[in-house]
Amino acid sequence: MGKYSKGDHVKIEAVNEQSGESEWMWLLVDRSDDVNRLVFGQLDSEPIVVTDMRLGQELAVSYDNVREHRRFD
């Protein structure tokens, strides 16, 4: 098991490559890989600034882009 568990939420930072603006969004975790420092899951926020992403989209995100971690028991 990795640092983040299935069902956890992590707040990730995504950047609009055209404008340079960043946006914070929640990712619902499926699993994580500590060796490669990646967390996998579905986007759980509706993007506003990063228009090439969508709610529910499957993502792999570097631990370096995780800003907050929540575990709801």
Side-chain angles (χ1 to χ4, degrees), residues 18 41 57 73:
Q18 293 176 348
Q57 182 175 350
D73 295 322

Side-chain angles (χ1 to χ4, degrees), residues 30-47:
D30 281 332
R31 63 185 174 86
S32 60
D33 177 345
D34 289 346
V35 172
N36 294 304
R37 297 181 43 80
L38 292 171
V39 59
F40 301 88
Q42 296 85 39
L43 192 58
D44 203 29
S45 297
E46 187 70 45

Side-chain angles (χ1 to χ4, degrees), residues 9-73:
H9 280 83
V10 292
K11 188 176 277 188
I12 60 168
E13 183 178 16
V15 177
N16 180 319
E17 303 224 351
Q18 293 176 348
S19 70
E21 293 179 276
S22 64
E23 178 172 9
W24 304 91
M25 295 179 276
W26 288 104
L27 183 77
L28 177 60
V29 175
D30 281 332
R31 63 185 174 86
S32 60
D33 177 345
D34 289 346
V35 172
N36 294 304
R37 297 181 43 80
L38 292 171
V39 59
F40 301 88
Q42 296 85 39
L43 192 58
D44 203 29
S45 297
E46 187 70 45
I48 297 169
V49 173
V50 183
T51 56
D52 61 343
M53 297 173 77
R54 67 187 184 294
L55 182 66
Q57 182 175 350
E58 298 277 335
L59 298 173
V61 178
S62 168
Y63 283 9
D64 295 336
N65 291 335
V66 173
R67 300 295 181 251
E68 191 173 332
H69 174 222
R70 298 269 172 100
R71 180 171 291 145
F72 303 103
D73 295 322

